[in-house]
Amino acid sequence: MEWLCIIETLFFGYIIVQFLRLVFSDCDLQLQWAEKLGKSTKVLSRKVVWITGASSGIGEHLSYELAKSGCRLVLSARREDELQRVKKQCLTYGNLVDSDIFVLTLDLLKFDKHRPAVDEVISRFKKIDILVNNAGRSQRAEWEKTSLKVDRDMLELNVLSVLSLTKLVLPNMIDRKEGHIVNMSSVAGKMGLPGAGSYIGSKHAIQGWFDCLRIEMFSKNVYVTNICPGPVFSNLLQDCFTDKPGQTVGASMKTGANRMSTDRCARLCTVAIANKMDEVWISKRHFLFLTYVNQYMPMLYKWIANRMGIKGFSKLKEGKL
Ligand SMILES: NC(=O)c1ccc[n+]([C@@H]2O[C@H](COP(=O)([O-])OP(=O)(O)OC[C@H]3O[C@@H](n4cnc5c(N)ncnc54)[C@H](OP(=O)(O)O)[C@@H]3O)[C@@H](O)[C@H]2O)c1
């Protein structure tokens, strides 16, 4: 019977270690293991990676991480001057030369520009290895006060533009029997949260749409990764939708809040991409904990969320809880 005791001790020891790893970490357990024992991000060297929303925030810092790994980059967004700044910084990392980084100004809401943009990237680099659908806008508003026009505008950018660009990039990947679509989703795409219904709905849509694509692409050697960050420092509040069409929050994020640094988030995103992970959760522990509770104990999550309400969640985000 002694060996049974040993097995039991090992089992409970393992559970306790995993629990402590979860409590003190800033990402899910699988991503933690991948960061320590998985493939090095250097496997991405010379890959052609197209990042939308590369002019600020997570997309900007992800560009730096990918440049450090030796990727050739296509940097997209609306503000060309900001993209040129990001390109200049990328060239200070690794062994990249000017022609390895292509600045492609693109407003994703101009759907007729998607085809020419894809053609331009393919004619320059002959292929697209990885598409990172990162560009997006958030929202601060109550559900019942939100104009339907805001819901529509949110879906156009956060969902339909992503579907459109992906549908145009996929044939090149399928022909080459190699490719990777990466989506910047959110932990908000995993659970209901108050105060940003249109945004949260748009991220749930991304999760659903791309969970389906992942299965269809399995036999074609094209991978799909959904990255789900919690609160991260960025410019997201500047351009953030409210409940009224055309209005933005126009605020900056406060330092000292429960938000992860942008470069740490970008580093973990790069590990997830290098290891072709299906879905990862990246967040400081408050939102990471809630994501786990929602996934494995949904009734408890609903009980907590109902009691926290809009005020509780915004306090949690701003580090006041
Ligand atoms: N920060 C967070 O707490 C957080 C958490 C979870 C998920 N996310 C997700 O992370 C992604 C990046 O957001 P971020 O936090 O890094 O915010 P950000 O700093 O505001 O970056 C948003 C990016 O999207 C681009 N963009 C916006 N509208 C566009 C359009 N019409 N066409 C092309 N590009 C457009 C912006 O570039 P231009 O203005 O130059 O066009 C910018 O580069 C978003 O999908 C967001 O939902 C963020």
Side-chain angles (χ1 to χ4, degrees):
M1 282 295 136
E2 217 170 71
W3 58 272
L4 261 182
C5 269
I6 294 173
I7 291 176
E8 222 173 69
T9 313
L10 284 176
F11 176 74
F12 284 111
Y14 175 78
I15 299 283
I16 289 167
V17 168
Q18 293 299 344
F19 183 73
L20 290 176
R21 285 176 72 90
L22 166 66
V23 169
F24 293 103
S25 174
D26 55 7
C27 62
D28 67 78
L29 289 169
Q30 262 189 307
L31 186 53
Q32 283 178 51
W33 285 116
E35 191 184 18
K36 296 215 158 40
L37 304 170
K39 286 185 186 148
S40 153
T41 56
K42 294 284 175 209
V43 296
L44 299 171
S45 179
R46 303 310 289 164
K47 297 270 184 210
V48 176
V49 189
W50 183 354
I51 308 160
T52 68
S55 60
S56 68
I58 299 174
E60 172 183 347
H61 287 259
L62 184 56
S63 306
Y64 300 152
E65 283 299 323
L66 293 169
K68 286 176 199 166
S69 302
C71 296
R72 289 174 286 166
L73 299 172
V74 181
L75 306 177
S76 271
R78 292 167 300 179
R79 290 168 296 166
E80 187 175 356
D81 48 341
E82 291 301 311
L83 291 174
Q84 292 295 353
R85 175 184 62 77
V86 175
K87 173 173 176 173
K88 210 167 148 194
Q89 187 64 28
C90 285
L91 286 170
T92 64
Y93 303 121
N95 298 320
L96 299 178
V97 296
D98 191 80
S99 59
D100 288 330
I101 305 181
F102 176 37
V103 165
L104 176 63
T105 315
L106 176 66
D107 182 345
L108 285 166
L109 291 174
K110 296 189 174 149
F111 285 73
D112 58 325
K113 303 278 188 248
H114 289 193
R115 163 72 69 195
V118 172
D119 290 347
E120 207 174 341
V121 174
I122 292 178
S123 83
R124 187 174 278 253
F125 289 111
K126 309 288 173 257
K127 61 173 185 171
I128 299 162
D129 290 305
I130 302 172
L131 170 66
V132 184
N133 290 310
N134 165 73
R137 289 174 64 184
S138 188
Q139 185 201 28
R140 293 289 179 273
E142 287 177 46
W143 202 107
E144 85 279 10
K145 292 184 183 152
T146 301
S147 148
L148 191 62
K149 169 88 171 77
V150 171
D151 292 322
R152 221 173 244 141
D153 290 348
M154 180 69 80
L155 290 176
E156 285 279 312
L157 179 65
N158 284 14
V159 183
L160 292 176
S161 80
V162 174
L163 301 185
S164 163
L165 200 62
T166 305
K167 282 174 197 283
L168 293 170
V169 166
L170 272 178
N172 176 270
M173 295 182 172
I174 293 170
D175 284 351
R176 292 187 305 110
K177 297 188 178 55
E178 195 186 351
H180 193 168
I181 305 290
V182 178
N183 301 302
M184 204 53 71
S185 176
S186 169
V187 293
K190 299 297 298 175
M191 54 192 167
L193 294 162
S198 323
Y199 174 71
I200 291 161
S202 75
K203 294 299 182 185
H204 275 74
I206 287 294
Q207 292 288 129
W209 242 293
F210 284 88
D211 280 348
C212 299
L213 180 69
R214 182 184 301 113
I215 299 167
E216 290 188 24
M217 287 297 120
F218 180 74
S219 57
K220 299 183 168 75
N221 207 30
V222 175
Y223 295 87
V224 174
T225 298
N226 284 336
I227 298 180
C228 302
V232 176
F233 275 107
S234 74
N235 289 341
L236 203 66
L237 286 182
Q238 279 297 336
D239 227 6
C240 186
F241 286 104
T242 64
D243 51 3
K244 293 179 189 59
Q247 197 179 62
T248 56
V249 169
S252 302
M253 289 180 182
K254 293 188 191 91
T255 50
N258 272 344
R259 292 183 177 274
M260 184 184 273
S261 73
T262 331
D263 51 353
R264 174 67 182 152
C265 175
R267 168 74 198 148
L268 289 169
C269 292
T270 312
V271 172
I273 296 171
N275 286 278
K276 295 186 173 142
M277 301 177 78
D278 289 349
E279 179 178 302
V280 293
W281 305 342
I282 296 172
S283 178
K284 283 202 172 174
R285 58 178 175 264
H286 309 75
F287 273 90
L288 186 64
F289 176 73
L290 285 177
T291 313
Y292 268 105
V293 172
N294 177 64
Q295 179 91 10
Y296 297 107
M297 289 173 276
M299 298 299 284
L300 177 60
Y301 173 75
K302 277 175 201 142
W303 189 89
I304 298 172
N306 285 341
R307 270 140 198 88
M308 283 176 67
I310 293 190
K311 276 192 188 148
F313 275 102
S314 60
K315 275 187 186 168
L316 188 65
K317 240 182 260 172
E318 302 312 328
K320 293 177 190 153
L321 272 188

